[in-house]
Amino acid sequence: MDSLSQVCFLTLFVMQRPTFAFICGMTNISEILPEREGSFTNITYLLNATERSAFSGSTSILYEVCVNNTLTVQCEFEWTEGSSHPSLEKWGPGDDVVCSYEPRYLDNSMVTWEMKISQLVSRSLSVMQLYLENKTHNSKTKKIIRRIHIAIVYPPQVTSLTVDGQEVNGTHLINDSQKVNISCSFDKGNPPVTFILVDNNGKELVRGSGPLTYSLLVHCEDDWPTVRCEGNGSKQNRSVSFLVMCPPKFTENSIKIVHSIELDNITLQVKADTKEVDNCLLTSVPSEDNVTIKVSCTLTGHPPDLALSFSLSKRISSIHGIWMLTLLNKRGYATTMLNFTEESRRSLIRESEIPAQTPVKEILIGGTCVAVLIVVIAIIGIRAIKKVNENKRGKF
C-alpha cells in the first residue's frame, strides 16, 4: 500500500474513533497498521544478548494473532538456560505465517537476534502482538512488546445482481410491457464507498450504501435499457441488458439505395432479441407485379443490435427499382424498402450473360433470331441460283 493511501486511510480510520472492546478482549492498542487484503505484512524485533552469558531460566518471545476474535499463538522464539542462541517453534497451520531469526553482530562481545515474522493479511485478522515471557523456577512473567491493530483495506465489489429474484449477468429476456424489479447487493469495501444503478446513457437511477432496488417497465417500441450496478474503485461491477420478446425491427426508416458494388453483401441494421431467421423475401413494388424472390439472410452480432446480410450477385436481371424486403422470425416480421439503381441493374445484366445463368426467355429470343437469319440467307441463296440459271439459258 502506498504512503498517500496509508495516510488517507489512517486519517479516516482515526476520525471514525474505532473501539477494540470486542477484539480478543483488548482495549489498549497503540499501533494501527493499514494493510491490503491478500498481502503479506512484515514485523521485526531486535533482542540484545551476550554470547558469554545465557538467559536465566527460560525466556521466550511469542507471536500471536487475533483471528475471528480468537487469540492464538503462531510461533515462539525460546532461549533456555545455558544456551547462547534461540530455538524456534511454529504452530500456525499452512503458509499464512512465516517465522525466522538471524544474528546481527554489533561488536565482539554483543550479538543481536533479529526475529522476523511475515503474516498473510486476511479480513478475519484484527490484531498482531509480540510479548516476552520469562519463566523461572518459581514464577512466570509476561510483558507486551508490540500490539498492532490491522486495519484491513479491501476493494468494494458487486456480489449479486437480480431481476425479479433471478441472478443475472449479461442479458435478460422479458415480455412486452413487462414490469421488472432490479436488485443489486454489494460489499462496500474498506474504506467504504457508495454504489449506484445507472442506465446505458449514464443516467443515475438510484444510489445508496445498502442494497439497491429499482423497477422499470419496458415496451417493444422503447430503447431497450441496460442497467449497471457500480461503485467507485469496485473490483467487480455487474450489468444486465433487457431483450424484449417483440417482432424484429429495421432501424433505418428511409429507403436504402443499393449500388452495384453492394450486391455481393447487402447489410442492414436490425433490432431483435434473437438471431434466428425463418425467412427473407424480396417483393417488387408496386405489388401488382406479383414478383417475390426468396433470399438467404443471416443475422450476426449480439442482440438486440444485429446486422442482417444477404447477397444478390447471382440473381436475375429483373431486380431494379424499388423492392420490399421482409424479415420473418418466430416473433413476427419486419419490412423495409430497397431501391436498386440502374448501375445495379446493368451489373446484374452483365452477370446474366453467363450461359449458365441465362434466363429461358433470352434463350428463346436468341434462338428465334438465329432461325430468321437462316431463312434470310436461304432466300438470298435461292434467288442467286435462279438468276445464274436464267443467264445460262440466254446464251443458247
Side-chain angles (χ1 to χ4, degrees):
M1 189 176 185
D2 58 80
S3 301
L4 180 60
S5 299
Q6 287 184 358
V7 171
C8 293
F9 180 79
L10 197 55
T11 302
L12 177 64
F13 194 84
V14 171
M15 290 176 62
Q16 291 177 342
R17 300 174 181 237
T19 59
F20 307 106
F22 301 105
I23 301 177
C24 294
M26 302 176 186
T27 57
N28 182 21
I29 299 178
S30 58
E31 293 186 61
I32 300 175
L33 180 64
E35 288 289 353
R36 188 167 296 277
E37 182 182 24
S39 66
F40 273 87
T41 185
N42 301 305
I43 61 173
T44 60
Y45 181 72
L46 298 175
L47 181 67
N48 294 332
T50 61
E51 291 184 322
R52 296 186 178 88
S53 63
F55 292 97
S56 60
S58 175
T59 301
S60 298
I61 291 181
L62 293 97
Y63 168 69
E64 59 185 1
V65 294
C66 180
V67 175
N68 291 325
N69 205 31
T70 301
L71 197 63
T72 57
V73 175
Q74 299 296 302
C75 57
E76 178 182 5
F77 304 90
E78 183 179 21
W79 287 262
T80 56
E81 188 173 355
S83 174
S84 59
H85 60 83
S87 61
L88 173 62
E89 294 188 39
K90 180 178 179 295
W91 291 272
D95 298 324
D96 291 355
V97 180
V98 178
C99 300
S100 63
Y101 67 91
E102 59 184 63
R104 290 284 185 263
Y105 294 97
L106 301 180
D107 55 40
N108 292 332
S109 60
M110 184 72 68
V111 61
T112 298
W113 296 99
E114 181 180 18
M115 276 72 69
K116 297 181 178 181
I117 298 162
S118 184
Q119 172 71 55
L120 177 66
V121 177
S122 65
R123 205 172 301 188
S124 58
L125 174 68
S126 54
V127 174
M128 304 161 57
Q129 80 171 7
L130 288 172
Y131 64 90
L132 182 66
E133 186 177 78
N134 189 24
K135 302 174 186 177
T136 62
H137 297 293
N138 300 319
S139 64
K140 178 180 178 181
T141 59
K142 181 178 179 180
K143 178 183 178 182
I144 301 297
I145 300 173
R146 292 186 70 182
R147 179 177 286 170
I148 307 168
H149 177 78
I150 303 297
I152 307 298
V153 180
Y154 56 92
Q157 64 174 340
V158 175
T159 57
S160 175
L161 182 65
T162 64
V163 175
D164 293 336
Q166 178 183 348
E167 191 73 27
V168 293
N169 189 22
T171 59
H172 186 72
L173 191 64
I174 60 175
N175 295 314
D176 180 27
S177 303
Q178 179 180 342
K179 184 178 181 180
V180 293
N181 297 307
I182 306 165
S183 179
C184 177
S185 300
F186 47 85
D187 186 336
K188 294 182 290 186
N190 196 28
V193 302
T194 299
F195 275 75
I196 59 175
L197 287 179
V198 296
D199 64 13
N200 44 312
N201 296 317
K203 178 184 176 182
E204 183 179 311
L205 304 175
V206 64
R207 72 164 49 226
S209 57
L212 304 177
T213 57
Y214 186 77
S215 298
L216 57 83
L217 184 67
V218 186
H219 304 281
C220 283
E221 60 271 18
D222 296 338
D223 289 332
W224 300 348
T226 294
V227 177
R228 183 175 177 84
C229 184
E230 61 184 30
N232 185 29
S234 176
K235 180 181 178 181
Q236 175 177 273
N237 294 320
R238 300 270 294 275
S239 66
V240 57
S241 297
F242 290 94
L243 305 179
V244 189
M245 292 188 287
C246 306
K249 179 181 179 181
F250 288 99
T251 58
E252 298 172 284
N253 295 324
S254 59
I255 298 177
K256 179 177 175 63
I257 306 297
V258 181
H259 300 285
S260 58
I261 58 175
E262 298 177 292
L263 295 175
D264 283 331
N265 185 21
I266 302 172
T267 302
L268 302 168
Q269 300 305 310
V270 174
K271 176 182 175 181
D273 66 275
T274 175
K275 292 194 287 185
E276 296 179 8
V277 175
D278 289 342
N279 219 337
C280 270
L281 301 173
L282 271 176
T283 305
S284 60
V285 178
S287 57
E288 294 86 50
D289 295 343
N290 198 27
V291 178
T292 298
I293 301 172
K294 182 178 179 180
V295 293
S296 178
C297 294
T298 58
L299 284 173
T300 57
H302 299 284
D305 301 315
L306 302 173
L308 182 143
S309 302
F310 64 98
S311 174
L312 290 176
S313 60
K314 297 181 180 180
R315 286 291 174 181
I316 60 177
S317 60
S318 60
I319 299 182
H320 63 278
I322 297 178
W323 289 66
M324 180 175 67
L325 176 65
T326 304
L327 165 66
L328 298 97
N329 67 10
K330 60 185 179 181
R331 309 286 187 214
Y333 69 93
T335 61
T336 190
M337 296 298 181
L338 304 178
N339 184 8
F340 296 94
T341 65
E342 287 299 316
E343 289 183 1
S344 301
R345 185 185 179 190
R346 284 197 294 271
S347 174
L348 289 168
I349 290 174
R350 284 195 295 271
E351 291 186 8
S352 68
E353 292 172 355
I354 301 174
Q357 300 174 356
T358 303
V360 174
K361 185 183 291 186
E362 290 185 12
I363 294 175
L364 293 176
I365 294 174
T368 303
C369 291
V370 172
V372 171
L373 182 60
I374 292 173
V375 171
V376 172
I377 293 173
I379 293 172
I380 294 173
I382 291 171
R383 288 181 178 178
I385 294 171
K386 185 177 180 181
K387 189 173 183 180
V388 170
N389 290 335
E390 288 177 352
N391 290 336
K392 286 182 178 179
R393 284 197 296 271
K395 289 181 179 182
F396 292 105

